Amino acid sequence: MTATSRSWVLAAVPRPQAAAHGASGDMAFADTDATGTRWDLTVWADTDRSKAQTISQNGLALLPIATVFGGARADQWRSAMSISSTVEACLRKAGVTYEVVRHPHTFTSAQAAEAAHIPGDRLAKTIMLEDEQGYVGAVVPSTHHLRLSKLWSQTGRHLVLAKESELRNVFPDCEIGAIPAVCSAYGVQTLMDESLTTVPDVYFEAGDHEELVHLGTDQFMRLMEQAEKGHFSHRSSAGEQH
């Protein structure tokens, strides 16, 4: 998400209090301070409130993020509000409830799950495939590997792994290797492994290697309505890299 014409206001509130008071902003993030306290970070596109020392919502005073984490972290979070603009537009259009979870920079889905302290079977990774007809995004748990033979049978297409270097034009606002699960938002046919319907919540890449979109499985299914469902992956053996 880019702040071009809007001035973003960041505020923080301990997660239990946020839940109790129903506090929410235009986008929700999560972070942990130096004491280990978990905070919800709420963001508003509202320049009038940028001058306030506290922001009150539903009777709850929300602290400016710099008060909680210090100015350096506040600056970090301003620069971190960088989820793909296409993904953000897709989430807004679908009207789903979600949060963005930040984690240290990683290079694989397995590393991302570990860095974000989440079960790997709840992280949906996107594997890009291609044939002469075009690209297809296969969405599976990060703990799984594709069974290409199953995909060939399901689609009637002899799909092979796409070259990542050729995907920049397809996903112009994403980093290589961090393709979001919502490929349909980019006009790309999407296939989803049905094993993702059995977990209570789902995470997926936000378009870079440092943020994940987190939402309930029912909300995720709303995003994936256009995806063709099937069984075309298997759980990886222990120690395999993803």
Side-chain angles (χ1 to χ4, degrees), residues 13 19-20 31 37 62 64 83 87-88 90-91 93 101 108 120 134 144 159 166 178 186 199 207 211 215 217 222:
V13 62
D31 202 351
T37 301
L62 309 182
I83 75 168
V87 171
E88 197 241 346
C90 176
L91 292 165
K93 182 178 179 180
V101 177
T108 68
H144 286 211
L159 296 160
E166 298 176 356
Y186 294 85
V199 294
E211 281 91 28
L215 67 177
T217 304
R222 286 173 59 183

Side-chain angles (χ1 to χ4, degrees), residues 11 15 30-31 65 67 76 94 98 112 116 146 161 170 213:
R15 173 159 290 187
D31 202 351
I65 193 171
T67 302
Q76 180 185 40
Y98 70 98
L146 273 181
L161 291 175
V170 183
V213 175

Side-chain angles (χ1 to χ4, degrees), residues 14-37:
R15 173 159 290 187
Q17 293 183 32
H21 287 75
S24 63
D26 293 327
M27 180 175 285
F29 296 84
D31 202 351
T32 304
D33 67 15
T35 69
T37 301

Side-chain angles (χ1 to χ4, degrees), residues 22-219:
S24 63
D26 293 327
M27 180 175 285
F29 296 84
D31 202 351
T32 304
D33 67 15
T35 69
T37 301
R38 190 71 167 168
W39 292 78
D40 274 352
L41 311 182
T42 54
V43 184
W44 287 274
D46 187 338
T47 56
D48 292 337
R49 284 189 274 199
S50 63
K51 302 174 183 177
Q53 294 302 308
T54 60
I55 300 170
S56 179
Q57 184 181 40
N58 294 354
L60 178 65
L62 309 182
L63 298 174
I65 193 171
T67 302
V68 179
F69 297 100
R73 179 69 73 88
D75 290 340
Q76 180 185 40
W77 269 104
R78 289 188 183 94
S79 64
M81 289 188 297
S82 57
I83 75 168
S84 153
S85 57
T86 304
V87 171
E88 197 241 346
C90 176
L91 292 165
R92 287 183 178 275
K93 182 178 179 180
V96 297
T97 301
Y98 70 98
E99 68 174 354
V100 177
V101 177
R102 183 170 171 78
H103 61 79
H105 190 93
T106 58
F107 297 96
T108 68
S109 57
Q111 291 175 356
E114 182 177 359
H117 306 291
I118 61 174
D121 60 351
R122 299 185 188 183
L123 174 58
K125 67 177 178 181
T126 302
I127 301 172
M128 292 304 301
L129 307 166
E130 65 178 336
D131 64 5
E132 66 280 356
Q133 297 181 45
Y135 292 109
V136 172
V139 181
V140 303
S142 69
T143 52
H144 286 211
H145 279 320
L146 273 181
R147 288 178 171 169
L148 278 174
S149 59
K150 292 276 190 179
L151 275 181
W152 295 343
S153 297
Q154 180 171 332
T155 63
R157 298 167 61 176
H158 193 78
L159 296 160
V160 298
L161 291 175
K163 298 179 179 64
E164 285 192 332
S165 60
E166 298 176 356
L167 296 174
R168 290 187 182 276
N169 292 334
V170 183
F171 301 92
D173 56 359
C174 297
E175 296 180 10
I176 290 179
I179 304 302
V182 288
C183 299
S184 58
Y186 294 85
V188 174
Q189 181 182 351
T190 309
L191 305 173
M192 190 196 83
D193 194 272
E194 289 187 352
S195 58
L196 286 167
T197 66
T198 65
V199 294
D201 55 350
V202 178
Y203 298 76
F204 65 85
E205 297 283 1
D208 64 12
H209 293 278
E210 296 183 354
E211 281 91 28
L212 300 173
V213 175
H214 175 218
L215 67 177
T217 304
D218 59 333
Q219 304 287 288

